[in-house]
Amino acid sequence: MCAFLQERHQRVKIGDTLSNWLPVIAGMPQGSYLGPLTFIMLINGLEVADVTHKYVDDTTLTKFLNQASTSRMESHVDELTGRATNVGMIINVKKTREMFIGRALEVSMPPA
């Protein structure tokens, strides 16, 4: 795998003009058969105690709680972030959200 990814070079062609060859320091060659396999190997370790849904550019954690339970989602997100950092992935905190879905609390309304 290392031999396949090391010492790669690329250049750009616009019309009839070619750029100089430059080293490729990151990424997987597009269209290679090893691309999907290496991606699966990379994200395989992104597992935490909650249900984890992994997509190409997105990971979702799901936790089902009853009313009396306390969420540990923050610690699970921290664990996921640590695992991602260990394999060289970066979490975009601007796109990180927490969403609560459940029954609405009953609110008593004063008489009109």
Side-chain angles (χ1 to χ4, degrees):
M1 180 64 73
C2 290
F4 176 68
L5 294 174
Q6 290 178 337
E7 298 182 27
R8 298 189 72 89
H9 291 79
Q10 69 181 13
R11 65 180 177 178
V12 177
K13 180 179 180 182
I14 300 176
D16 292 332
T17 306
L18 290 171
S19 70
N20 294 329
W21 287 98
L22 295 172
V24 178
I25 58 172
M28 175 64 64
Q30 291 183 0
S32 70
Y33 290 108
L34 293 177
L37 176 63
T38 55
F39 176 75
I40 290 168
M41 290 168 44
L42 181 68
I43 68 168
N44 192 47
L46 299 181
E47 294 286 341
V48 293
D50 293 328
V51 176
T52 307
H53 308 278
K54 296 178 272 190
Y55 306 97
V56 172
D57 63 350
D58 189 29
T59 299
T60 302
L61 301 179
T62 304
K63 185 67 175 183
F64 297 98
L65 298 171
N66 58 32
Q67 278 186 315
S69 297
T70 302
S71 174
R72 295 192 59 235
M73 185 62 75
E74 184 176 356
S75 65
H76 295 166
V77 170
D78 290 343
E79 180 183 351
L80 181 73
T81 302
R83 289 176 183 229
T85 301
N86 287 341
V87 295
M89 299 175 81
I90 300 169
I91 303 292
N92 186 345
V93 294
K94 292 181 181 179
K95 293 173 61 177
T96 302
R97 300 285 181 263
E98 183 175 20
M99 179 174 22
F100 296 95
I101 301 173
R103 288 180 279 181
L105 298 174
E106 291 183 29
V107 178
S108 59
M109 299 296 289

